[in-house]
């Protein structure tokens, strides 16, 4: 039997994740519904916290410890637990199996309806969940489809959707107070080193690294000295981090007596260069980032990336996307080559013919005889055409502002060059050369 | 005598076919594919790129003339998401610098420097590229129309056009492909092996 507890905050939490942390301290399955509301799976918690009133009391206590005022509702479904939490101050518990009856007098607004559905239900004269629950399901399906059936099930306290587990973003932050104050830099650096060791241990335990560190020194008299550093590569080595922090503090020391220190790391997941023995190694993230930056400086940001074919019949419909080397598990055994098997008897092998594009296509002068090209003259290629096939007509995007139409010919020049000619309705172009 | 398992090619690897040719390109060395237009050189490159990317490797393609047709690469079986395309817009120096940078970045089993008519690579740049490759597992292939005498390439594969293949009776209806020949013009790696200089492959490139 499922039991859901709804924890509703009635005041503004000091930290955004405070309510979620309170719930996670009591149940492993917690859904953050936003707006100061979390749901937790209260099933099977009796042996840990006692019966449901005791669980609710513990939730109130834990929330009060972080300056949160809360209401708790416990029922068999999320919607009934929410109604219970909203209806009464303190704790409200709906007995098992009593969700439908408890929800019957609740207003329809509890369902968070869309404007359209709310207007239709209002026109039908419905005001409460009980009235919606009492409607014939088949008729509701005919008028509102599956959404109508879903809403009716919710109104009856039937909620088949499981909790969507939420986890707070881990915060890697450590602080130390020095009531006596630190006047010189050396003890500040030493305390910072200790904080770095603790922060890096937390990062390593989760398999993360940090690509930025921030620190705040609270000074005697209320002042604040803060700073940040971004290492060249994400790191978890406490010695290296402490060394960087020392250099940063020496370059810009705090001006005053330091009363407390806080060090915070921004976690990132570092993908290893080779995740398993069956993977090929990939470029190291640090070297690759440096290389890509240099390449961007060399050829421009629009000249580098991973090619992607666009969903279009337009010739050369290609985009250049961001390049992210990702692991490809090496299939075992390797797939057979897609090309036909070699014709061993003749010593001939077979594969796919490539076209070399000319970008932009080179303007060309084409001589026609009986409607077929017989000579080509362009800046890249000139010659007599000895064979040719075409035209292959393609067109598209006639519904847009930029329609296109092309007639393409594959031709062989007298010197043996195979190329593709294109006529766009007004002029000829040399589109590419087969190679 | 039992064959050591390390020397066995992977399943699907065709020692006698195009895979046998591609298997000759040495890691950590500079190689060249040279040949005139429509001789199958670019098709050979795409076949190699397809072999590498489908087995999980990353390939860098330095495109001197912005001539790569990704649709052809995809048709050859290449995984485009594993392909880093560097477009150099006809600038030889930028292409050479890009290839040099990528040769020094471990993790790319294959780096292609496609120069076509921009080539061949100056000897000084070849030496620099060769130095960048030393000790690495990267195969660097330069594609150019002509071979320069005195080149430091360890393997030079020359491609030669044999004949186009058409479909349909007169009048012809469609270009079906191209038959070309690839031969080892120079090999500093296998001087005494049957895979040494002079060996040829006849390849049918199909559209």
């Amino acid at each position: 039997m499922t039991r859901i507890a709804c924890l509703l905050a009635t005041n503004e939490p000091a930290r955004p994740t405070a309510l979620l942390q309170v719930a996670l301290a009591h149940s492993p399955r917690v859904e953050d519904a936003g707006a100061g509301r979390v749901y937790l799976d209260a099933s099977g918690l009796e042996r840990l916290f006692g019966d449901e009133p005791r669980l609710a009391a513990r939730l109130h206590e834990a929330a009060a410890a972080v300056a949160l005022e809360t209401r708790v509702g416990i029922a068999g479904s999320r919607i009934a637990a929410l109604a219970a939490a909203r209806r009464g101050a303190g704790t409200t518990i709906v007995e098992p199996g009593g969700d439908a009856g408890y929800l019957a007098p609740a207003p329809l607004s509890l369902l968070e309806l869309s404007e359209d559905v709310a207007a239709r239900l209002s026109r039908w004269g419905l005001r409460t969940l009980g009235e919606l629950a009492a409607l014939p399901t088949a008729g509701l399906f005919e008028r509102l489809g599956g959404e109508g059936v879903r809403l009716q099930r919710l109104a009856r306290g039937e909620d088949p959707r499981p909790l969507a587990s939420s986890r707070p973003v881990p915060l890697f932050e450590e602080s130390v107070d020095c009531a006596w104050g630190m006047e010189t830099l050396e003890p500040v650096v030493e305390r910072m080193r200790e904080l770095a060791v603790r922060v890096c241990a937390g990062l390593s335990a989760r398999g993360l690294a940090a690509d930025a560190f921030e620190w705040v020194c609270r000074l005697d008299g209320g002042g604040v000295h803060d700073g940040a550093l971004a290492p060249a590569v994400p790191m978890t080595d406490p010695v290296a981090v402490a060394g960087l922090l020392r250099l940063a503090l020496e370059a810009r020391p705090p001006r005053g007596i330091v009363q407390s220190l806080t060090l915070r790391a921004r976690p990132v997941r570092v993908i290893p260069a080779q995740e398993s023995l069956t993977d090929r190694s990939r470029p190291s993230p640090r070297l690759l980032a440096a290389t890509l930056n240099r390449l961007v400086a060399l050829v421009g940001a629009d000249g580098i990336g991973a090619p992607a074919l666009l969903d279009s019949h337009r010739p050369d419909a290609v985009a250049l996307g961001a390049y992210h080397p990702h692991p490809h598990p090496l299939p075992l055994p390797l797939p057979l080559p897609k090309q036909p098997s070699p014709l061993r008897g003749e010593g001939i092998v077979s594969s796919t013919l490539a076209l070399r594009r000319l970008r932009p296509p080179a303007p060309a002068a084409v001589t026609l005889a009986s409607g077929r090209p017989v000579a080509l003259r362009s800046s890249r290629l000139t010659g007599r055409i000895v064979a040719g096939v075409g035209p292959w007509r393609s067109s598209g995007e006639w519904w847009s502002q930029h329609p296109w139409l092309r007639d393409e010919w594959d031709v062989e020049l007298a010197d043996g060059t195979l190329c593709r000619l294109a006529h766009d309705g007004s002029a000829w172009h040399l589109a590419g050369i087969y190679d | 005598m039992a064959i050591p398992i390390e020397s066995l090619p992977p399943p699907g690897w065709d020692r006698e076919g195009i895979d046998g040719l591609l298997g000759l390109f040495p890691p950590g060395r500079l190689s060249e594919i040279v040949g005139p237009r429509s001789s199958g050189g670019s098709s050979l490159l795409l076949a190699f790129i397809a072999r590498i990317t489908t087995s999980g490797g990353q390939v860098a393609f330095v495109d001197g003339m912005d001539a790569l047709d990704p649709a052809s690469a995809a048709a050859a079986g290449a995984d485009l998401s594993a392909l880093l395309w560097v477009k150099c817009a006809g600038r030889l120096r930028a292409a050479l610098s890009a290839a040099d940078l990528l040769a020094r970045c471990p993790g790319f089993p294959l780096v292609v420097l496609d120069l076509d008519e921009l080539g061949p690579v100056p000897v000084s740049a070849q030496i620099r590229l060769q130095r960048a490759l030393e000790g690495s597992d990267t195969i660097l292939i330069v594609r150019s129309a002509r071979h320069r005498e005195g080149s430091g390439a360890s393997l030079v594969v020359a491609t030669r056009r044999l004949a186009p293949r058409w479909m349909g009776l007169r009048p012809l209806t469609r270009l079906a492909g191209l038959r070309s020949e690839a031969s080892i013009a120079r090999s500093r790696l296998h001087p005494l092996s049957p895979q040494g200089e002079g060996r040829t492959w006849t390849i049918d490139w199909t559209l």
Side-chain angles (χ1 to χ4, degrees):
Chain A
M1 183 183 59
T2 303
R3 297 294 285 168
I4 304 288
C6 175
L7 190 58
L8 206 60
T10 55
N11 64 339
E12 190 71 22
R15 282 165 57 174
T17 58
L19 194 66
L20 190 59
Q21 297 282 10
V22 169
L24 280 169
H26 292 81
S27 174
R29 294 208 305 140
V30 173
E31 176 178 324
D32 186 359
R37 187 197 331 161
V38 296
Y39 298 104
L40 58 146
D41 187 351
S43 314
L45 299 180
E46 302 84 13
R47 300 177 73 177
L48 283 173
F49 305 115
D51 57 10
E52 289 177 348
R54 287 176 186 272
L55 171 65
R58 283 188 63 104
L59 287 169
H60 282 303
E61 284 175 22
V66 289
L68 276 175
E69 296 172 11
T70 51
R71 292 179 177 181
V72 176
I74 301 179
S77 62
R78 261 180 301 230
I79 187 166
L82 174 62
R86 281 185 177 168
R87 185 173 290 181
T91 302
T92 306
I93 296 175
V94 181
E95 292 303 314
D99 283 15
Y102 187 79
L103 286 171
L108 283 175
S109 59
L110 200 64
L111 288 175
E112 298 175 357
L113 303 168
S114 66
E115 282 186 21
D116 178 43
V117 174
R120 294 186 73 174
L121 296 182
S122 176
R123 282 201 299 276
W124 295 349
L126 302 181
R127 297 286 179 272
T128 63
L129 296 182
E131 292 166 353
L132 176 62
L135 290 178
T137 304
L140 197 60
F141 179 74
E142 285 175 5
R143 290 162 178 79
L144 292 179
E147 176 67 5
V149 177
R150 186 185 73 83
L151 293 172
Q152 188 182 50
R153 292 189 68 182
L154 287 177
R156 291 172 176 170
E158 301 167 8
D159 189 0
R161 185 172 72 79
L163 292 179
S165 288
S166 305
R167 288 277 161 194
V169 178
L171 183 67
F172 296 95
E173 180 181 301
E174 296 288 343
S175 298
V176 63
D177 290 327
C178 307
W180 60 91
M182 293 176 284
E183 295 185 29
T184 59
L185 186 61
E186 202 53 37
V188 175
V189 170
E190 179 56 22
R191 297 287 91 73
M192 199 67 96
R193 188 191 65 77
E194 293 170 5
L195 295 182
V197 169
R198 281 150 55 183
V199 167
C200 289
L203 288 165
S204 299
R206 288 175 179 265
L208 300 171
D211 66 348
F213 292 88
E214 300 171 2
W215 66 88
V216 178
C217 305
R218 303 204 177 279
L219 305 178
D220 190 19
V224 167
H225 173 86
D226 58 1
L229 68 87
V233 291
M235 56 173 56
T236 54
D237 180 10
V239 177
V241 174
L244 291 173
L245 290 169
R246 168 187 282 276
L247 291 172
L249 285 168
E250 285 176 351
R252 200 169 62 86
R255 299 185 183 281
I257 299 172
V258 177
Q259 298 284 1
S260 72
L261 280 173
T262 300
L263 178 65
R264 184 182 304 139
R266 188 173 68 187
V268 292
R269 187 170 297 283
V270 178
I271 302 168
Q274 186 179 17
E275 289 193 340
S276 78
L277 284 174
T278 56
D279 284 350
R280 278 178 180 264
S281 65
R282 283 166 288 139
S284 114
R286 182 175 65 84
L287 277 175
L288 181 65
T291 304
L292 290 180
N293 283 337
R294 288 175 182 163
L295 289 171
V296 167
L298 198 63
V299 300
D302 56 349
I304 183 169
L309 300 177
L310 300 178
D311 185 15
S312 168
H313 291 289
R314 180 190 286 272
D316 200 19
V318 175
L320 207 53
Y323 174 71
H324 297 295
H326 54 278
H328 292 259
L330 187 65
L332 295 175
L334 279 172
L336 292 171
K338 293 178 181 175
Q339 282 69 36
S341 58
L343 308 173
R344 291 173 192 273
E346 301 172 34
I348 297 173
V349 294
S350 179
S351 195
T352 305
L353 180 61
L355 177 71
R356 295 182 65 85
R357 291 271 176 194
L358 273 71
R359 296 189 177 94
V366 175
T367 307
L368 299 177
S370 306
R372 305 182 69 83
V374 294
L376 165 70
R377 194 171 69 251
S378 76
S379 58
R380 295 289 299 273
L381 284 177
T382 295
R384 186 169 56 86
I385 294 172
V386 296
V389 291
W392 296 104
R393 172 161 292 185
S394 58
S395 64
E397 298 175 34
W398 41 265
W399 55 90
S400 73
Q401 298 291 321
H402 305 288
W404 56 270
L405 170 72
R406 276 168 71 111
D407 284 346
E408 291 185 333
W409 290 77
D410 289 330
V411 301
E412 180 187 7
L413 302 185
D415 66 356
T417 302
L418 290 169
C419 57
R420 179 179 292 179
L421 303 178
H423 189 264
D424 61 7
S426 59
W428 285 91
H429 292 92
L430 179 60
I433 299 170
Y434 289 103
D435 185 34
Chain B
M1 189 177 68
I3 302 171
I5 196 165
E6 293 81 2
S7 68
L8 289 174
W13 189 263
D14 178 19
R15 198 189 284 272
E16 297 302 316
I18 197 168
D19 293 328
L21 170 59
L22 300 178
L24 293 179
F25 287 92
R29 305 283 184 88
L30 181 71
S31 303
E32 278 188 278
I33 295 177
V34 296
R37 291 187 296 263
S38 300
S39 63
S42 300
S43 302
L44 190 59
L45 274 181
L46 293 192
F48 204 178
I49 291 170
R51 297 300 195 279
I52 298 287
T53 55
T54 52
S55 64
Q58 304 287 318
V59 174
F61 193 100
V62 180
D63 196 350
M65 299 287 286
D66 294 0
L68 174 68
D69 180 33
S72 294
D79 176 3
L80 296 183
S81 64
L83 183 63
L84 174 64
W85 186 15
V86 183
K87 301 199 291 183
C88 300
R91 293 176 293 153
L92 178 61
R93 289 189 63 178
L96 293 174
S97 300
D100 186 66
L101 283 170
L102 288 162
R104 294 173 195 275
C105 181
F108 289 103
L110 174 63
V111 175
V112 175
L113 174 57
D114 185 4
L115 296 178
D116 197 30
E117 292 170 5
L118 284 179
V121 180
V123 174
S124 59
Q126 281 193 1
I127 294 170
R128 185 175 169 81
L129 288 173
Q130 188 66 59
R131 290 263 170 84
L133 290 168
E134 279 175 5
S136 75
D137 293 329
T138 300
I139 298 170
L140 175 60
I141 301 180
V142 179
R143 163 81 180 109
S144 57
R146 298 180 307 280
H147 175 58
R148 181 189 289 274
E149 288 303 320
S151 155
S154 299
L155 181 76
V156 179
V157 174
T159 55
R160 187 168 70 91
R161 176 176 54 236
L162 295 180
R165 291 186 299 112
W166 303 94
M167 289 177 71
L169 302 172
R170 296 282 174 180
L172 302 171
T173 55
R174 198 168 80 84
L175 176 64
L178 168 75
R179 177 168 292 185
S180 72
E181 183 183 84
S183 59
I184 306 297
R186 176 207 273 184
S187 171
R188 292 179 173 173
L189 303 165
H190 311 281
L192 301 176
S193 77
Q195 294 172 331
E197 292 180 16
R199 188 175 177 197
T200 62
W201 284 260
T202 303
I203 307 172
D204 266 345
W205 304 108
T206 56
L207 266 181

PDB file of all heavy atoms in Angstrom, chain B residues 166-180:
ATOM      1  N   TRP B 166      28.973   3.304 -66.638  1.00  0.00           N
ATOM      2  CA  TRP B 166      27.671   3.929 -66.877  1.00  0.00           C
ATOM      3  C   TRP B 166      26.599   2.872 -66.858  1.00  0.00           C
ATOM      4  O   TRP B 166      26.872   1.699 -67.117  1.00  0.00           O
ATOM      5  CB  TRP B 166      27.668   4.636 -68.242  1.00  0.00           C
ATOM      6  CG  TRP B 166      28.748   5.664 -68.392  1.00  0.00           C
ATOM      7  CD1 TRP B 166      29.977   5.479 -68.938  1.00  0.00           C
ATOM      8  CD2 TRP B 166      28.692   7.021 -67.978  1.00  0.00           C
ATOM      9  NE1 TRP B 166      30.712   6.632 -68.896  1.00  0.00           N
ATOM     10  CE2 TRP B 166      29.937   7.615 -68.311  1.00  0.00           C
ATOM     11  CE3 TRP B 166      27.737   7.813 -67.366  1.00  0.00           C
ATOM     12  CZ2 TRP B 166      30.235   8.935 -68.052  1.00  0.00           C
ATOM     13  CZ3 TRP B 166      28.030   9.140 -67.111  1.00  0.00           C
ATOM     14  CH2 TRP B 166      29.265   9.685 -67.446  1.00  0.00           C
ATOM     15  N   MET B 167      25.399   3.290 -66.614  1.00  0.00           N
ATOM     16  CA  MET B 167      24.260   2.377 -66.666  1.00  0.00           C
ATOM     17  C   MET B 167      23.379   2.756 -67.834  1.00  0.00           C
ATOM     18  O   MET B 167      23.274   3.927 -68.192  1.00  0.00           O
ATOM     19  CB  MET B 167      23.449   2.432 -65.369  1.00  0.00           C
ATOM     20  CG  MET B 167      24.166   1.812 -64.191  1.00  0.00           C
ATOM     21  SD  MET B 167      23.212   1.964 -62.687  1.00  0.00           S
ATOM     22  CE  MET B 167      21.907   0.804 -63.014  1.00  0.00           C
ATOM     23  N   GLY B 168      22.744   1.782 -68.424  1.00  0.00           N
ATOM     24  CA  GLY B 168      21.813   2.029 -69.514  1.00  0.00           C
ATOM     25  C   GLY B 168      22.478   1.902 -70.862  1.00  0.00           C
ATOM     26  O   GLY B 168      23.680   2.123 -71.010  1.00  0.00           O
ATOM     27  N   LEU B 169      21.651   1.520 -71.843  1.00  0.00           N
ATOM     28  CA  LEU B 169      22.129   1.488 -73.217  1.00  0.00           C
ATOM     29  C   LEU B 169      22.150   2.916 -73.748  1.00  0.00           C
ATOM     30  O   LEU B 169      21.667   3.843 -73.112  1.00  0.00           O
ATOM     31  CB  LEU B 169      21.199   0.604 -74.052  1.00  0.00           C
ATOM     32  CG  LEU B 169      21.078  -0.844 -73.550  1.00  0.00           C
ATOM     33  CD1 LEU B 169      19.988  -1.568 -74.311  1.00  0.00           C
ATOM     34  CD2 LEU B 169      22.411  -1.562 -73.682  1.00  0.00           C
ATOM     35  N   ARG B 170      22.709   3.111 -74.924  1.00  0.00           N
ATOM     36  CA  ARG B 170      22.724   4.466 -75.489  1.00  0.00           C
ATOM     37  C   ARG B 170      21.297   4.944 -75.742  1.00  0.00           C
ATOM     38  O   ARG B 170      20.524   4.209 -76.362  1.00  0.00           O
ATOM     39  CB  ARG B 170      23.519   4.489 -76.794  1.00  0.00           C
ATOM     40  CG  ARG B 170      24.981   4.166 -76.628  1.00  0.00           C
ATOM     41  CD  ARG B 170      25.738   5.345 -76.085  1.00  0.00           C
ATOM     42  NE  ARG B 170      27.136   5.010 -75.780  1.00  0.00           N
ATOM     43  CZ  ARG B 170      28.010   5.894 -75.283  1.00  0.00           C
ATOM     44  NH1 ARG B 170      27.641   7.139 -75.031  1.00  0.00           N
ATOM     45  NH2 ARG B 170      29.236   5.540 -75.024  1.00  0.00           N
ATOM     46  N   PRO B 171      20.877   6.105 -75.277  1.00  0.00           N
ATOM     47  CA  PRO B 171      21.684   6.998 -74.467  1.00  0.00           C
ATOM     48  C   PRO B 171      21.844   6.478 -73.036  1.00  0.00           C
ATOM     49  O   PRO B 171      20.956   5.812 -72.513  1.00  0.00           O
ATOM     50  CB  PRO B 171      20.864   8.293 -74.482  1.00  0.00           C
ATOM     51  CG  PRO B 171      19.459   7.831 -74.640  1.00  0.00           C
ATOM     52  CD  PRO B 171      19.520   6.613 -75.505  1.00  0.00           C
ATOM     53  N   LEU B 172      22.965   6.821 -72.440  1.00  0.00           N
ATOM     54  CA  LEU B 172      23.242   6.390 -71.072  1.00  0.00           C
ATOM     55  C   LEU B 172      22.236   7.032 -70.121  1.00  0.00           C
ATOM     56  O   LEU B 172      21.721   8.122 -70.381  1.00  0.00           O
ATOM     57  CB  LEU B 172      24.657   6.806 -70.681  1.00  0.00           C
ATOM     58  CG  LEU B 172      25.770   6.269 -71.589  1.00  0.00           C
ATOM     59  CD1 LEU B 172      27.092   6.921 -71.230  1.00  0.00           C
ATOM     60  CD2 LEU B 172      25.868   4.758 -71.470  1.00  0.00           C
ATOM     61  N   THR B 173      21.958   6.355 -69.036  1.00  0.00           N
ATOM     62  CA  THR B 173      20.957   6.888 -68.107  1.00  0.00           C
ATOM     63  C   THR B 173      21.546   7.313 -66.765  1.00  0.00           C
ATOM     64  O   THR B 173      20.994   8.195 -66.114  1.00  0.00           O
ATOM     65  CB  THR B 173      19.865   5.844 -67.834  1.00  0.00           C
ATOM     66  OG1 THR B 173      20.493   4.647 -67.375  1.00  0.00           O
ATOM     67  CG2 THR B 173      19.061   5.565 -69.084  1.00  0.00           C
ATOM     68  N   ARG B 174      22.632   6.701 -66.351  1.00  0.00           N
ATOM     69  CA  ARG B 174      23.118   7.032 -65.013  1.00  0.00           C
ATOM     70  C   ARG B 174      24.601   6.701 -64.883  1.00  0.00           C
ATOM     71  O   ARG B 174      25.080   5.724 -65.472  1.00  0.00           O
ATOM     72  CB  ARG B 174      22.339   6.260 -63.946  1.00  0.00           C
ATOM     73  CG  ARG B 174      22.455   6.841 -62.555  1.00  0.00           C
ATOM     74  CD  ARG B 174      21.435   6.196 -61.644  1.00  0.00           C
ATOM     75  NE  ARG B 174      21.857   4.893 -61.171  1.00  0.00           N
ATOM     76  CZ  ARG B 174      22.653   4.694 -60.129  1.00  0.00           C
ATOM     77  NH1 ARG B 174      23.134   5.720 -59.466  1.00  0.00           N
ATOM     78  NH2 ARG B 174      22.972   3.477 -59.753  1.00  0.00           N
ATOM     79  N   LEU B 175      25.312   7.507 -64.112  1.00  0.00           N
ATOM     80  CA  LEU B 175      26.699   7.191 -63.775  1.00  0.00           C
ATOM     81  C   LEU B 175      26.676   6.154 -62.656  1.00  0.00           C
ATOM     82  O   LEU B 175      26.115   6.407 -61.584  1.00  0.00           O
ATOM     83  CB  LEU B 175      27.437   8.453 -63.316  1.00  0.00           C
ATOM     84  CG  LEU B 175      28.874   8.258 -62.845  1.00  0.00           C
ATOM     85  CD1 LEU B 175      29.768   7.773 -63.983  1.00  0.00           C
ATOM     86  CD2 LEU B 175      29.441   9.555 -62.264  1.00  0.00           C
ATOM     87  N   ALA B 176      27.254   5.003 -62.912  1.00  0.00           N
ATOM     88  CA  ALA B 176      27.213   3.928 -61.912  1.00  0.00           C
ATOM     89  C   ALA B 176      28.421   3.947 -61.008  1.00  0.00           C
ATOM     90  O   ALA B 176      28.367   3.472 -59.880  1.00  0.00           O
ATOM     91  CB  ALA B 176      27.117   2.579 -62.604  1.00  0.00           C
ATOM     92  N   GLY B 177      29.533   4.479 -61.500  1.00  0.00           N
ATOM     93  CA  GLY B 177      30.722   4.475 -60.658  1.00  0.00           C
ATOM     94  C   GLY B 177      31.978   4.672 -61.472  1.00  0.00           C
ATOM     95  O   GLY B 177      31.939   5.180 -62.600  1.00  0.00           O
ATOM     96  N   LEU B 178      33.060   4.248 -60.881  1.00  0.00           N
ATOM     97  CA  LEU B 178      34.365   4.488 -61.482  1.00  0.00           C
ATOM     98  C   LEU B 178      35.270   3.328 -61.103  1.00  0.00           C
ATOM     99  O   LEU B 178      35.251   2.859 -59.962  1.00  0.00           O
ATOM    100  CB  LEU B 178      34.935   5.806 -60.921  1.00  0.00           C
ATOM    101  CG  LEU B 178      36.397   6.113 -61.187  1.00  0.00           C
ATOM    102  CD1 LEU B 178      36.581   6.542 -62.634  1.00  0.00           C
ATOM    103  CD2 LEU B 178      36.875   7.224 -60.262  1.00  0.00           C
ATOM    104  N   ARG B 179      36.018   2.865 -62.070  1.00  0.00           N
ATOM    105  CA  ARG B 179      37.024   1.853 -61.746  1.00  0.00           C
ATOM    106  C   ARG B 179      38.385   2.525 -61.751  1.00  0.00           C
ATOM    107  O   ARG B 179      38.723   3.247 -62.699  1.00  0.00           O
ATOM    108  CB  ARG B 179      36.989   0.712 -62.754  1.00  0.00           C
ATOM    109  CG  ARG B 179      38.060  -0.333 -62.507  1.00  0.00           C
ATOM    110  CD  ARG B 179      37.853  -1.573 -63.313  1.00  0.00           C
ATOM    111  NE  ARG B 179      36.666  -2.303 -62.867  1.00  0.00           N
ATOM    112  CZ  ARG B 179      36.317  -3.489 -63.345  1.00  0.00           C
ATOM    113  NH1 ARG B 179      37.052  -4.070 -64.280  1.00  0.00           N
ATOM    114  NH2 ARG B 179      35.245  -4.099 -62.908  1.00  0.00           N
ATOM    115  N   SER B 180      39.108   2.322 -60.660  1.00  0.00           N
ATOM    116  CA  SER B 180      40.433   2.939 -60.584  1.00  0.00           C
ATOM    117  C   SER B 180      41.416   1.940 -59.995  1.00  0.00           C
ATOM    118  O   SER B 180      41.037   0.852 -59.550  1.00  0.00           O
ATOM    119  CB  SER B 180      40.390   4.218 -59.754  1.00  0.00           C
ATOM    120  OG  SER B 180      40.230   3.927 -58.391  1.00  0.00           O
TER     121      SER B 180
END
